[in-house]
């Protein structure tokens, strides 16, 4: 009698007993991945829409409530230096990228108001091309305002200025005298720096300053951003809702 090898008998039987992967299961897996992708994309779109709605709402609020004499105006920020000048970092108007936000066509007119923190010598406030200002302040002890909104500054060592600011001819707009000084300027493209000094060039300055701009297009920009945010919010919500509807439909078809 020939012995029977059980492995030759059971292995084909096991192979035949293993069912092939169903097409329904494959479709279910693909549908689940698609729904997860839709939910993730929808959530990102909703987050972007909320950012746009916040920005548009802030711009509309500023246009409606923060105008002073027709200018959208910042809060007063205080700066001081033991040196001879306060100077802003170079501001690019009309540059590529986000520079369009500061384009002269949008700003229309700029106002800078500076008030001494206490009684002192007459002030000088001027704005000039950054290259000219850098040349004038080279070797001068002064403080650079690196971030106006955050009141951040950086000290630059040096000595006294070689001449008083009022004797320079590169200022495109300036104001000087006792008390609050208001500088009005019609902006143009380029790199610009604002400088605050004692009119006599003496060291030691402590001032409060605010910025204002006439922005006639601000309300339309705000409405445009709000509209874009609302459209994205609806689109993101529809993506998420569609994914959950597809999930319920898939569950119903399998029961």
């Amino acid at each position: 009698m020939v012995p029977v090898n059980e492995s030759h008998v059971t292995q084909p039987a096991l192979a035949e007993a293993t069912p092939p992967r169903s097409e329904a299961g494959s479709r279910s897996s693909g549908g689940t991945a698609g729904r997860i992708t839709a939910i993730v994309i929808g959530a990102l779109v909703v987050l972007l829409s909320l950012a746009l709605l916040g920005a548009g709402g802030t711009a509309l609020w500023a246009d409606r409530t923060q105008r002073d004499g027709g200018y959208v105006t910042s809060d007063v920020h205080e700066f001081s230096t033991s040196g001879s000048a306060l100077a802003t970092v170079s501001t690019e108007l009309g540059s590529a990228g986000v520079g369009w936000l500061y384009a002269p066509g949008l700003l229309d007119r700029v106002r800078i108001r500076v008030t001494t923190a206490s009684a002192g010598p007459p002030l000088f406030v001027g704005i000039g091309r950054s290259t000219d200002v850098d040349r004038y302040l080279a070797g001068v002890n002064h403080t650079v305002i690196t971030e106006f909104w955050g009141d951040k500054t950086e000290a630059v060592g040096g000595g006294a200025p070689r001449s008083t600011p009022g004797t320079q001819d590169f200022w495109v707009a300036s104001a000087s005298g006792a008390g609050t000084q208001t500088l009005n300027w019609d902006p143009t493209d380029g790199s610009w720096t604002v400088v605050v000094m004692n009119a006599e060039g003496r060291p030691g300055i402590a001032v409060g300053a605010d910025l204002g701009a006439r922005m006639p297009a601000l309300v339309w920009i705000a409405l445009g951003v709000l509209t874009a945010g609302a459209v994205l919010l609806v689109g993101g919500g529809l993506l998420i809702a569609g994914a959950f509807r597809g999930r319920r439909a898939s569950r119903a078809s399998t029961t």
Side-chain angles (χ1 to χ4, degrees), residues 156-252:
V156 178
R162 294 177 294 276
S163 57
T164 59
T167 61
Q168 307 303 308
D169 59 5
F170 59 77
W171 307 110
V172 295
S174 63
S176 62
T180 300
Q181 296 303 303
T182 302
L183 181 154
N184 294 300
W185 177 54
D186 295 321
T188 57
D189 290 345
S191 300
W192 305 97
T193 299
V194 178
V195 176
V196 179
M197 300 178 67
N198 290 319
E200 298 175 356
R202 295 192 304 180
I205 305 167
V207 298
D210 65 65
L211 299 179
R214 285 181 178 172
M215 302 180 69
L218 182 60
V219 63
W220 300 110
I221 294 173
L223 292 175
V225 173
L226 285 172
T227 300
V231 170
L232 288 177
L233 181 62
V234 172
L238 289 175
L239 274 174
I240 296 173
F244 281 105
R245 282 198 301 269
R247 182 182 179 183
R248 288 196 296 269
S250 177
R251 286 182 173 179

Side-chain angles (χ1 to χ4, degrees), residues 105-130:
L106 291 177
L107 290 178
D108 187 42
R109 190 171 177 83
V110 171
R111 181 185 68 189
I112 302 170
R113 289 189 300 199
V114 180
T115 304
T116 55
S118 59
L123 279 179
F124 173 90
V125 184
I127 183 169
R129 292 197 176 273
S130 297

Side-chain angles (χ1 to χ4, degrees), residues 37-55 225-226 228-241 244:
T37 301
I39 291 172
V40 171
I41 294 175
L44 292 174
V45 171
V46 168
L47 288 175
L48 176 59
S49 72
L50 293 177
L52 290 175
L53 290 171
V225 173
L226 285 172
V231 170
L232 288 177
L233 181 62
V234 172
L238 289 175
L239 274 174
I240 296 173
F244 281 105

